[in-house]
Amino acid sequence: MVKKIASILAALLAVGLGPGAQHAAKVHRHPARRRPGSEEVSLPHRGGDITAPGGTPFEGLWRLTDMPDWLQAIARPEHLKTAMERSIAEFASGAMVLEHVRPRRSRLKDGVFDGMFELTVKGPGGARRVVFLRGVADSGRPAGVNGIFPGVSFGEDGWRCAVPELRLVLEALPVDTALPGLAILTDASRARALLEGAIRAGSPAYADIRIAGCTPRVTRYKPGSRCTVVYRLAYGPEAEGKGWPEVVVAKIHWGDKGRIAYQGMRALWESELRWSTAVTIAEPLGFLPEPRVLIQRAVPGKLTLSDLLKSSLPGGRAEAMEELRELLVKTARGLAALHACSAHGTIYVWEQQMAEIRGRIVQLATWVPGFDGALEPALARLDALAASHAPQRPVPSHRSFRPAQVLLHEGHIAFIDFDGFCEAEPAVDLALFRATIKQNVMRLGSLEEPPEPSLELLSELDGLCDLFLDEYERMAPVSRARVALWETLYLLESVLNSGTKLQPDRLEGGMALLERRLRQSPLSFA
């Protein structure tokens, strides 16, 4: 993976080196950790798209490489596998074989690591199974295990084990108490009654709906956070001509996101956006405060714009690229239509996003002392630039607007996932969409067989992002200074996420994009 990330950075570095360069430039990692080899070159300060670590306002971000070695080892499957084989009795004895281990979710908060791991295990007779374990590591104390239940088999409810060298305590994945309605949503009989009651209560047009049966299919699940279930509904003969939905989607969220999404979808559905020819939105059908379930009619489409980007950009055919450009233009028009509608929501401003950023930096300072102080001058400069470039008036906004939230169907687009709905300046949605397009390419490095990104690919990404923004500006006014500010903030957030989500392999790619944005920005960050 490191070689793949390095290839991306080499493409960035090639800017300004001239067409006759024979050797790809290599990036210097954290400047305090190593010296360049004989084949390496210094990062250009002029004539290129990226400045060297140590030469940017955000050089303090490189301190993320100074996280404790034992913590970084948790993110490395090869280290995890070796440590688990030594510490888990079934693997150490040879009764079972650990074939693969993969971190699935990681989070650093209040000095504690909390994550989930996927293990592929071969047991007696060669039978394979996948086991999910939760792992917790406290920076302030060594790994210790209490409350072990004797005789509990590996991976079963109540099983626990310490991995001392990683300060990690493993346990069988507990029941998802954060999503209490999950058991109902995945049971066809109980879900049928829940869906029917919720739709009748939430949609007067379907007050007489009678669901004969439903077939649930879980399409997305993040333990402790959210779950999405798609249902194909069956009716009796009385449904003829009534327009009852054939497919509905139920979403359960931890916290208040479901209510926010439902209120936002209801506001949009009652606005002129419901009839828009530029973009399709889902019809909200109902919301149950307990167990926090949102129900909506499904919109057609299985492919997202994110899927198309990933399949088209690495050496895509001319036809695929043309289709991608056309859909980006349609997406810009759809976003302009969303921003122009009469729906209302809570106001979201720059200061709130900056507060979130500062909060993450403080969390990371627990693991990297002085991290917050190293970044404060750059944050202050961002705030000063934001103060000197007034925001546009707030408009109805998605606030989680990424290519994955654009659903495609026969040349048409639909916007989904409105759990961040609010009113905000247009730059909020525009900048996040642009930043995510670029981040998706860097994250191709996490694939087993990623493509080899080139300077041409990265330049084409810039062109696609500009096409999107140019088309939006044809439909509505844009403050490009504010887009540049918000895009910088989102790229900074992405780098911080490589720390808070313990994804060290994304640090260099994220830094490359952030530094590239700084050099291309119309604003001065000096």
Side-chain angles (χ1 to χ4, degrees), residues 6 9-11 13-14 17 23-27 39-42:
L9 296 169
L13 292 168
L17 295 180
H23 300 285
K26 297 180 182 179
V27 68
E39 295 183 358
E40 297 176 320
V41 300
S42 298

Side-chain angles (χ1 to χ4, degrees), residues 29-345:
R29 293 194 176 87
H30 193 295
R33 288 187 174 270
R34 59 188 293 274
R35 297 172 64 88
S38 58
E39 295 183 358
E40 297 176 320
V41 300
S42 298
L43 296 167
H45 285 265
R46 294 188 181 276
D49 287 333
I50 180 173
T51 56
T56 76
F58 293 100
E59 70 170 287
L61 290 167
W62 290 103
R63 293 194 181 194
L64 289 173
T65 61
D66 295 329
M67 282 189 173
D69 290 340
W70 64 264
L71 182 63
Q72 296 193 56
I74 293 177
R76 308 290 187 186
E78 65 276 15
H79 295 302
L80 265 176
K81 183 174 183 293
T82 300
M84 288 183 180
E85 287 172 333
R86 283 197 285 255
S87 299
I88 297 176
E90 288 81 356
F91 302 146
S93 67
M96 295 181 180
V97 176
L98 177 58
E99 294 188 329
H100 307 286
V101 60
R102 174 183 165 200
R104 288 295 302 268
R105 186 191 73 241
S106 301
R107 186 183 185 190
L108 302 180
K109 186 175 182 181
D110 299 329
V112 175
F113 164 87
D114 193 339
M116 183 174 70
F117 306 98
E118 177 185 329
L119 285 69
T120 303
V121 177
K122 185 166 69 173
R128 286 182 174 84
R129 62 175 174 138
V130 175
V131 177
F132 289 92
L133 301 178
R134 181 193 179 197
V136 176
D138 190 329
S139 61
R141 66 182 67 176
V145 177
N146 299 311
I148 297 179
F149 297 96
V152 177
S153 300
F154 166 76
E156 299 299 325
D157 188 31
W159 177 89
R160 303 183 79 204
C161 178
V163 184
E165 63 192 273
L166 301 181
R167 303 192 184 187
L168 196 62
V169 175
L170 299 172
E171 64 178 357
L173 200 64
V175 176
D176 199 341
T177 56
L179 303 177
L182 192 56
I184 298 175
L185 292 182
T186 52
D187 181 280
S189 177
R190 299 164 73 190
R192 184 208 65 78
L194 181 144
L195 293 172
E196 184 175 276
I199 293 173
R200 284 183 175 183
S203 302
Y206 309 121
D208 59 342
I209 191 172
R210 294 180 61 187
I211 302 174
C214 67
T215 304
R217 178 171 59 91
V218 176
T219 58
R220 187 180 186 186
Y221 177 45
K222 184 177 180 181
S225 179
R226 60 182 179 269
C227 183
T228 300
V229 186
V230 176
Y231 301 88
R232 184 162 292 279
L233 305 183
Y235 302 105
E238 70 277 6
E240 184 70 26
K242 292 193 174 182
W244 292 347
E246 295 182 4
V247 182
V248 300
V249 178
K251 298 182 179 182
I252 183 169
H253 296 82
W254 176 85
D256 212 26
K257 285 190 173 183
R259 180 189 62 80
I260 294 171
Y262 179 72
Q263 291 178 347
M265 293 174 68
R266 177 58 63 189
L268 292 170
W269 191 253
E270 292 172 356
S271 77
E272 60 274 30
L273 193 66
R274 173 181 179 178
W275 312 107
S276 174
T277 59
V279 63
T280 300
I281 57 174
E283 178 184 6
L285 298 174
F287 177 70
L288 298 175
E290 290 298 333
R292 302 192 297 271
V293 175
L294 178 152
I295 302 164
Q296 65 183 61
R297 185 191 287 262
V299 292
K302 296 181 179 179
L303 191 72
T304 68
L305 187 58
S306 179
D307 297 325
L308 185 61
L309 278 163
K310 292 174 183 177
S311 64
S312 300
L313 281 174
R317 295 177 293 106
E319 297 85 351
M321 291 304 301
E322 184 58 31
E323 180 187 12
L324 178 58
R325 293 187 185 94
E326 290 177 0
L327 288 168
L328 281 171
V329 167
K330 290 180 179 180
T331 300
R333 294 171 182 169
L335 185 61
L338 167 63
H339 287 175
C341 80
S342 57
H344 292 286

